[in-house]
Amino acid sequence: MSDYNFAYLDEQTKRMIRRALLKAVAIPGYQVPFASREMPMPYGWGTGGVQVTAACLVPEDTLKVIDQGADDTTNAVSIRGFFARVADVATTQRTVEASIIQTRHRIPETPLREDQILVYQVPIPEPLRFLEPRETQTRKMHALAEYVLMHVRLYEDIARHGEIAKSYAYPVRVEGRYVMDPSPIPKFDNPKLGDCPALQLFGAGREQRIYALPPYTRVESLDFEDYPFKASKPDQPCALCGASDSYLDEVITDDAGSRMFVCSDTDYCRERRAAGHRGLMAAPFEDDADAELPQ
Amino acid sequence: MSTPLLETDGLTKRYGSRIGCAGVSFTLWPGEVMGIVGESGSGKSTLLSCLAGHLASDAGQIRYRDRHGETHLPATMSEAARRRLAREEWAYVHQNPRDGLRMGVSAGGNIGEPLMARGQRHYGDIREAALSWLERVEIARDRIDDPPRAFSGGMQQRLQIARALVNNPRLVFMDEPTGGLDVSVQARLLDLLRGLVRDLGLSAVIVTHDLAVVRLLADRLMVMQGGYVVESGLTDQVLDDPQHAYTQLLVSSVLQV
């Protein structure tokens, strides 16, 4: 064990965050203020998510951290290393093995279970922020459930682009009441927010807000009757595992315009390749899930 | 005999020790246009803000009867209920179109917003309503996707009127609707307003310092000075045969061309 208190934060801070979490779960979609702490990483690196994770962790937990779907990018590696050091919890890259999953910008493709918690890192929790800069006004709009500005924005999108062009951080309405920013997940992931068996917690460190979706919450993406919400993704199968049902990243492979589309969820892609699925550009499969990643 | 739409009784608003408006009582009947005239600082805008619920009055009562015949006391309602009432029954036309429009949102979005606020969720219908209202306020259909800041002052004011009226309000509050426009544009706007008010059977309260505006639009007139109503009556009667000294001054101050 390290010189830090379990999971870095002191017990009083964790209690304070847990109280905020309880309130957030009691009022789905409502942004609960909390006294966000300085964390040993810069704002924008997931300080909100880290604090929520720290308040939820118990020694028996298995932690998975995703950054844009991947387990092996800087943000994911450093946060996983952080908790391995200050909480000494088991870590994993496999969605099915994890009890707490901290994520930045994605929801895993593998369906979640009731015994799992998904923690989102949120940069800007206020869905109305770029439509109404005054915090006093946005609070009033939430209090009175006056969300017409959101639809004005969608109207403008259709008038200008012929469709709703918002492709990430797509606003949702929770249980017919609060409009919520689902953090910058692609709108492809929006349908997974609703009716999800896992508890979903959202932490914004710089903005000092926590909100939550309890299991099996009704979540609707805002849209128009004649321009219904569409969860979109590149119209391709994954080049490595051949999956046609997962969200894809576009990877530029040279300076002559060549590109490939691969699953953004690295765990999902690896599991499929392990099961023998092959995409058009797949190399022979080597399982690296348990390999030591650079810390 | 129909019932009154809006009744006020001893409406008073103070700013500290100064008087905004004091003891204003009047009755507005369905389909009637009431003009409020007076010099700058006479309390006419304060009165309008109190009526529209933008300002809380200090004393007196406002009673409003909605389209279902139910009577509301806006002063004692919760803010949510008052805003719902304002959304469904009223409209407000500001003197400066910048206050009543979203300058960064297209003309169509501006007209569509009140519809969406009332739960309209069909893009095609919203678009159709916006186009038909643009036509009614004499703005070309192909300007629907332009933002108001690309419009001239007169067009902005007409757009604001379209946005105010798209929800079929029963009562419209107008604060100097022709202020800041040149005379030929004013004339067209007045023509348009008169047509709309007559066609739609609107009730309206119009605040202005321009006697020509009330002569054209208003059925009845209240003259205000120093926060008090000094004279009221039928428009033609007040303007042609002013009784109060201040009204006489006001009427005789108008330049004859």
Side-chain angles (χ1 to χ4, degrees), chain B residues 1-60:
Chain B
M1 183 81 189
S2 60
T3 46
L5 189 70
L6 182 75
E7 281 179 284
T8 72
D9 192 11
L11 198 65
T12 301
K13 171 72 190 173
R14 287 195 178 81
Y15 299 107
S17 58
R18 282 175 295 122
I19 289 174
C21 61
V24 178
S25 306
F26 71 92
T27 305
L28 185 74
W29 300 84
E32 188 180 40
V33 178
M34 166 80 85
I36 303 174
V37 295
E39 60 193 357
S40 295
S42 62
K44 46 191 200 309
S45 291
T46 298
L47 174 60
L48 196 71
S49 297
C50 287
L51 292 176
H54 298 172
L55 277 179
S57 53
D58 295 322

Side-chain angles (χ1 to χ4, degrees), chain A residues 131-132 137 140-141 143-144 146-149 151-152 154-156 158-160 173 223-227, chain B residues 79-80 83 87 102 104-106 108-110 113 116-117 120-127 130 144-145:
Chain A
L131 305 171
E132 171 54 66
Q137 285 301 304
K140 185 176 265 185
M141 289 154 114
L144 298 172
E146 285 185 2
Y147 293 122
V148 63
L149 263 182
H151 270 95
V152 171
L154 299 180
Y155 170 95
E156 291 289 288
I158 300 173
R160 203 169 301 156
R173 190 144 197 183
D223 60 1
F224 286 102
E225 286 160 15
D226 45 348
Y227 285 85
Chain B
E79 180 162 13
R83 283 166 82 124
R87 206 155 54 220
R102 293 190 190 282
V105 168
S106 70
N110 266 294
E113 182 177 339
M116 291 183 255
Q120 170 68 260
R121 290 288 178 266
H122 192 282
Y123 176 83
D125 292 352
I126 294 166
R127 188 108 179 140
I144 186 168
D145 291 330

Side-chain angles (χ1 to χ4, degrees), chain B residues 54-77:
Chain B
H54 298 172
L55 277 179
S57 53
D58 295 322
Q61 271 205 332
I62 304 172
R63 273 184 302 279
Y64 176 78
R65 193 180 299 270
D66 71 13
R67 57 184 103 215
H68 311 295
E70 218 170 296
T71 303
H72 299 273
L73 299 170
T76 60
M77 291 161 77

Side-chain angles (χ1 to χ4, degrees), chain B residues 42 45-46 70 82 85 92 111 117 119 133 146 150 156 177 203 218 230 242:
Chain B
S42 62
S45 291
T46 298
E70 218 170 296
R82 188 165 60 235
L85 181 72
Y92 197 99
I111 300 178
W133 267 101
D146 293 347
Q156 288 180 3
S203 305
V230 295

Side-chain angles (χ1 to χ4, degrees), chain B residues 96-145:
Chain B
N96 189 338
R98 281 165 192 280
D99 298 332
L101 293 172
R102 293 190 190 282
M103 299 308 281
V105 168
S106 70
N110 266 294
I111 300 178
E113 182 177 339
L115 293 173
M116 291 183 255
R118 288 186 66 179
Q120 170 68 260
R121 290 288 178 266
H122 192 282
Y123 176 83
D125 292 352
I126 294 166
R127 188 108 179 140
E128 210 40 61
L131 282 169
S132 101
W133 267 101
L134 280 180
E135 231 159 57
R136 288 175 88 158
V137 297
E138 299 165 20
I139 297 176
R141 288 169 71 101
D142 60 2
R143 301 300 299 272
I144 186 168
D145 291 330

